[in-house]
Amino acid sequence: MPPRTAAPGQTRETGGGGGGRGGRGGGRGGPRGGPPPRGGPTRGGAVHAPTGPAALPGSHVQAVGVKRPGYGTAGRAVTVYSNFFKISLPESVIHHYDVISPDEKVLPARLNMDLIHHLQTIDAVDVFTPRAVYDGRKNLFAPRELPFGPQNSQEFDVCLSDDPNRGSPGENTGGRGPKVYKIRLTKALNVVVRMEPTMKYPFNVRSFFTDRETKDIGSGLVLWRGYFQSVRPAIGQLLVNVDISTGTMYKSGALMDICLEFLGRPGQHALLSPRSGLPDRERIRLQRFISGIRVKTTYAGENKTPRVVKKLSSAGAADLSFTLRDGTSRTVAQYFQTILNRPLRFPNNLCIEVGSGALIPVELCTVPPGQIMRKQVPPEKTKDVLEFATKRPEHRLASITNGLSVLQYGQSEYVRQFGMHVEDTTGPLTVTARVLQPPKLKYGPGSAQPTITPSNGAWNMIDKRFFRPASIDRWIVVVYERQQRFNPQAAQDMIDGMLRSFKDVGIRITDDKPMVTWQNGQGRIADQLRAAGAECFARTKQRPQLIVVVLPENGNDIYTAVKHFGDIVVGVATQCLKSQKCFRAKPQYYANVCLKVNVKLGGINTIPDPQSVSVLTDPRNPTIVMGADVIHPAPGSDGRPSFTALVGNVDSDTAKYIATSRVQASRVEIIEDLQDMAKHVLSMYMKYRQYAEKKTGNLAPARLIFYRDGVSEGQFKQVLDNELKAIKEACAELKINPKITIIVVAKRHHVRFFPSGSGPGEQDKSGNCLAGTVVDQVVAHPTEFDWYLQSHGGLLGTSRPAHYNVLYDENEFSADGLQSLSFALCHVYARSTRSVSIPAPVYYADIVCSRAKNHYDPQGNVDFSDSATQLDSTQAEGALEAYKRGFKPLHVNMQSLMYFS
């Protein structure tokens, strides 16, 4: 038995002690709604949903959100493929059992699966014929009632320790099933279709991964192609959604080689020794990378059960000593020399500490294949992951169809025994979609074309002036690139390029010779910017309205400090440019910069033509559109808070937005301060109508449309219970009473659509469906008001449609009304001349959340680096208070501007 770690102040003794790995919680609940109505679909691959009242949910049907009021009819009809396949339904009752195996959340799901598999195939074959299916946590489903007698409960003893190929702490485990009842079919079916692949491949909630297609991306990581599957109720039928996904795996092989590859020093074995100068910072970085990984040991006589790495020792094996039971002391290196009958090859190298406290030299460990890395991918590897994950639509659809052979629905005994049949021979389901007409966009006086119609989600700024251009009296340029690399001529070329673009888009500028200074990025950024502003004031008696900052490569820290100074401390617009992009930049680059600068200074780039979006611009029904989002810390960043954002328009054209942001408890999805945030945005809306638009009479909005990002289906009820209440209370405080509509926008799903034809009226240049493609039939929810809208033109890979769910609707919008309104809002995103994938206010909320760290003083003690350690609950509460105290509010100058663009 390897030596154990001891608590501080205690000696270490060899001896017993176990300890399984801490498991993660289960996945989300199954899809909403009950089983779909019987009957309906026609034979073959093509299915056309009924569109009359027969297809709409009856009055007796319960729904979490709004029941579907009807189907959309606007737009040009097209046929598209989807990544859904039909399933025939089982007619029999499925029996559900609760599984207790000592406590299924303590053991990893993979081990739970192994225990139940062992129980069904070795220990109690007669009880489990035909076999039941298991989700790895609490739920077991059987196609017949299990013979447990009148108690409906039975305890089994399962021991895997006699089987060397299975990972197990060797504990006896019981399974019992006290309840039998008719259940919602969908969750049972999700387990049924996943059971066969889950027993064979590494899995992650609803995806599993195979090594048929892999890519080595270095740093001890390898990518595996995976398959996602989920059974969903649809209109009149049940469907299985199949998609490809990507899993980031630890590389298999010697743990020492993986560690050295992660550190960027392959083959340099002596480097893993603190004696040889391994910095503690690098050791902690490596520890974060390998903690949680399962390893096997290579020396004879040791239990072959994989062990879980808890941490790395702070000293090498020759420098770690422990006390034996007889009172003598020896080092870990000496202990293993006795066990191996030979000295360690690298006695000064680190040891791993496993869950039970045992210390094992790194050189004696190997990593078994197929282990998912459940941490954030290193930023420098993101490009590799995207290249592997990106597939053109036709290749993705082929990969999905070929994946059915990996899924093996036809051969799966679990699927057959439950009376199900996946109709994979008919191919992917074809669906009738519609391509919506885009809104017309209005530009300012002096434009060659005052209104334009986007073509497949894109338009250009040639010969167009902003709808409301800003004016700049004084601006300065601060360069953080070295003067040898970005010389005065490069700076002048950049200034000339910007001045030309300002003139082209109508931004009025009176200062054509801005002051330029070069600064050192290692200094205090705020002091340097303040000094530059003071020098500008001393020379011109005017403070700059805009600071243009030129950043070097990897200038993220400088960027954060610049934004904190501009947005939080002094309230001045800042525009950062990368020095590399400025060298011989084309006019298009500076035109894109102008899109951002104009709105930061209070201008408006373009508005939807009021005639083409009357639902938004109706003067009798002034409308405020809000977008809300919450961003959570990366996996493994315990103690970091979540950030929330609320964005809303203040103008009558839904083109000018303001934002407010807050900090709240880690990984809490519901927005805690929404009442206060909504009150702020609503009062700013009314002030703008009064003072900027000079409206008289009623300043309050008649309609409030609230788009909410990032909420899973299982949390819809919480949004209605908490966030709707908060919005209503904010309105009550302001003594206003708008009619409220709440729509959840989801991008994290696996539904994809593929063009069925190759003509220009069927697909765009990237091979994707056209911008404006909407689907609300066949694959939509059987009872609730939802639709899929692909509002953007494709660029790379397969475009993902956004999924809209209407949770609440006092405005009683029609399907066409809400679909066209949502599509129009995808065109008012100020930073581009393309429509975006989700409505602009939601996109802005997402940006505001990700910029929340700019509210903290870069010189302060709040740590956003990757080296934050894990905290217990008391420490986490203290950390949250520290984060809340350190979160500085937006400067008053910025509260009415689109500083986030």
Side-chain angles (χ1 to χ4, degrees), residues 846-857:
D846 188 63
I847 294 168
V848 173
C849 277
S850 61
R851 289 174 59 132
K853 64 178 183 296
N854 301 346
H855 286 255
Y856 292 92
D857 183 352

Side-chain angles (χ1 to χ4, degrees), residues 465-537:
R465 306 282 182 276
F466 286 146
F467 179 74
R468 188 182 301 152
S471 56
I472 303 172
D473 295 325
R474 192 65 57 203
W475 60 305
I476 59 173
V477 177
V478 181
V479 183
Y480 280 99
E481 184 62 273
R482 293 199 318 276
Q483 197 155 347
Q484 302 94 299
R485 295 191 59 176
F486 199 83
N487 58 29
Q489 186 55 51
Q492 191 54 50
D493 289 347
M494 182 202 79
I495 290 165
D496 292 343
M498 290 191 77
L499 289 169
R500 274 194 298 273
S501 281
F502 286 156
K503 184 168 174 284
D504 288 345
V505 297
I507 292 177
R508 293 177 291 282
I509 187 149
T510 52
D511 178 10
D512 59 0
K513 289 190 173 58
M515 189 185 92
V516 184
T517 65
W518 275 260
Q519 298 290 348
N520 179 357
Q522 303 301 314
R524 290 180 69 100
I525 308 296
D527 294 349
Q528 294 163 346
L529 295 176
R530 200 183 297 277
E535 191 184 334
C536 173
F537 184 74

Side-chain angles (χ1 to χ4, degrees), residues 90 124 175 238 250 263 314 400 479 509 681 750 810:
L238 206 62
Y250 289 104
L263 295 171
S314 52
I400 288 165
V479 183
I509 187 149
V681 172
H750 285 271
E810 291 177 338

Side-chain angles (χ1 to χ4, degrees), residues 134-185:
Y134 177 51
D135 71 348
R137 292 293 176 211
K138 286 191 74 67
N139 303 298
L140 184 135
F141 301 99
R144 64 167 189 139
E145 189 168 356
L146 300 178
F148 288 165
Q151 263 75 45
N152 277 329
S153 176
Q154 189 170 332
E155 191 159 315
F156 297 92
D157 288 331
V158 183
C159 183
L160 300 183
S161 55
D162 58 345
D163 185 344
N165 297 318
R166 298 186 183 282
S168 164
E171 294 167 341
N172 286 350
T173 307
R176 64 173 80 134
K179 44 183 188 273
V180 183
Y181 52 84
K182 237 176 158 174
I183 79 138
R184 191 180 287 185
L185 286 177

Side-chain angles (χ1 to χ4, degrees), residues 592 595-596 599 605 655 827-833 840 844 898 901:
N592 288 343
L595 293 172
K596 293 157 71 74
V599 293
N605 295 351
H827 291 76
V828 296
Y829 182 63
R831 284 162 48 153
S832 70
T833 54
Y844 290 143
M898 291 171 66
S901 88

Side-chain angles (χ1 to χ4, degrees), residues 435-441 452-460 760 763-765 770-772 791-794 823 827 833-835:
V435 180
L436 300 180
Q437 188 66 24
K440 287 188 170 66
L441 300 175
I452 55 152
T453 304
S455 167
N456 192 35
W459 62 99
N460 63 51
Q763 62 171 251
D764 63 16
K765 288 177 188 168
L770 299 170
S791 51
H792 58 301
F823 187 40
H827 291 76
T833 54
R834 299 180 69 87
S835 57

